[in-house]
Amino acid sequence: MVGDEESITAVLNRLKRAQGQLAGVISMIEQGRDCKDVVTQLAAVSRALDRAGFKIVASGLRECLTRDTADGSEPMSEAELEKLFLALA
């Protein structure tokens, strides 16, 4: 992932939080906890992953649009950007 240090740190923090929450969900299921509690925690994991994905897209959008083409690559097309956003939907 390319981006500024602050964005990378924010993404990593969100992913680590999601990782801990997912471990908690697994533990809750193994313990036979109430379905409502499990689903609530699972929703929190999903939101944390979504936020990490959105942060990655937001911080990389400018670079994706203006990527240095010195390596022979083309900037991302509108269709490619749309596909990237829809992958998170």
Side-chain angles (χ1 to χ4, degrees):
M1 182 178 141
V2 177
D4 63 276
E5 191 73 27
E6 185 177 323
S7 294
I8 292 170
T9 300
V11 168
L12 287 174
N13 286 340
R14 287 181 175 143
L15 291 174
K16 288 175 184 178
R17 184 177 308 122
Q19 183 179 32
Q21 290 171 322
L22 184 56
V25 169
I26 293 169
S27 178
M28 291 171 76
I29 292 170
E30 290 172 344
Q31 295 170 6
R33 297 275 300 271
D34 183 61
C35 179
K36 180 182 173 189
D37 295 337
V38 172
V39 171
T40 299
Q41 275 303 110
L42 197 54
V45 173
S46 180
R47 282 190 307 273
L49 291 174
D50 286 345
R51 289 179 60 110
F54 290 134
K55 182 69 172 175
I56 289 169
V57 171
S59 66
L61 185 57
R62 181 182 310 266
E63 180 163 338
C64 289
L65 289 172
T66 60
R67 183 182 346 179
D68 182 10
T69 57
D71 65 356
S73 64
E74 293 291 322
M76 288 182 75
S77 69
E78 185 175 328
E80 290 171 315
L81 287 169
E82 182 178 352
K83 184 178 179 180
L84 186 61
F85 277 108
L86 290 174
L88 293 171

